[in-house]
Amino acid sequence: MKIIVLICLGILSSSSIMAQKIGLNDRVNIQLPPKVEKISSANVAVVAKQNDIKLAVLPNSENKSTYIKDDVIITLFASKKKEQVDLVKLKKGLDEWGKTLAGYSSKIIEVNGNKFLITQNNTESKIRFYGTNPEGTTSVNGLLEFNERSKSKAGTTLESLMPNISFDK
């Protein structure tokens, strides 16, 4: 009997640290890195308080999924409808708005053929990203929130997320 209990515990613990593939909508999928845990909407504030994270006020959305990894809260949004997204134009607008923020930075990078706009500043402990497929017709947005001690973990978490986002045509 003890062996069966140990086997069950081993299976449960190994499945919680394995990567999880999540469909954010019918066109956007993400393979979550190991040790990422889903947070229910009702528990986000509790988790944030436990980890000393100041949450942004985000719109309620059925397309919002929230997770935590290494003291970093990850919120992902994927639109249900196809829409044309021009990251260069979006960057230009955000850069205009962000020039009043201390340490604001933005960049567009390409990962596995997909494009991502990443923004952050020194006035808040948040990294925002906007991703599109190569055609710019399907998108995903994300927000990483963290405490000041977890800033480097947030960067590492973002680097582990972007290569694992896929867009179906």
Side-chain angles (χ1 to χ4, degrees):
M1 184 63 169
K2 289 180 183 179
I3 293 173
I4 292 173
V5 171
L6 289 174
I7 291 172
C8 289
L9 287 173
I11 290 170
L12 288 174
S13 66
S14 68
S15 66
S16 68
I17 60 172
M18 289 174 39
Q20 313 159 48
K21 185 170 185 175
I22 305 292
L24 298 175
N25 65 23
D26 61 345
R27 292 178 317 283
V28 182
N29 299 294
I30 184 166
Q31 184 81 31
L32 293 173
K35 299 184 181 176
V36 172
E37 296 177 37
K38 185 158 180 60
I39 307 172
S40 71
S41 299
N43 288 332
V44 172
V46 172
V47 171
K49 187 173 182 177
Q50 289 171 343
N51 291 283
D52 195 28
I53 298 170
K54 294 179 185 169
L55 289 175
V57 177
L58 299 174
N60 282 333
S61 170
E62 60 194 49
N63 301 324
K64 178 172 74 171
S65 301
T66 306
Y67 306 90
I68 188 159
K69 180 181 184 342
D70 296 331
D71 304 328
V72 178
I73 294 178
I74 307 159
T75 305
L76 302 171
F77 298 88
S79 175
K80 281 191 170 185
K81 61 182 182 184
K82 278 192 169 191
E83 56 191 344
Q84 192 67 37
V85 177
D86 183 343
L87 290 183
V88 172
K89 188 184 249 185
L90 179 59
K91 181 182 183 313
K92 197 178 281 188
L94 290 173
D95 288 351
E96 184 64 30
W97 169 81
K99 68 183 178 184
T100 62
L101 299 173
Y104 172 82
S105 67
S106 71
K107 62 183 175 181
I108 295 177
I109 62 170
E110 189 171 316
V111 179
N112 296 337
N114 300 316
K115 293 188 175 142
F116 293 91
L117 167 60
I118 303 164
T119 67
Q120 58 186 13
N121 63 70
N122 293 338
T123 60
E124 56 185 8
S125 296
K126 299 175 188 348
I127 299 173
R128 291 171 174 79
F129 73 91
Y130 310 85
T132 66
N133 62 344
E135 298 79 24
T137 57
T138 302
S139 66
V140 63
N141 300 335
L143 173 65
L144 282 70
E145 300 175 284
F146 46 93
N147 60 46
E148 195 56 40
R149 298 177 310 277
S150 299
K151 188 173 188 172
S152 65
K153 290 179 185 177
T156 303
T157 298
L158 179 59
E159 289 173 6
S160 70
L161 288 175
M162 290 185 300
N164 294 307
I165 294 173
S166 62
F167 298 95
D168 297 334
K169 296 187 181 204

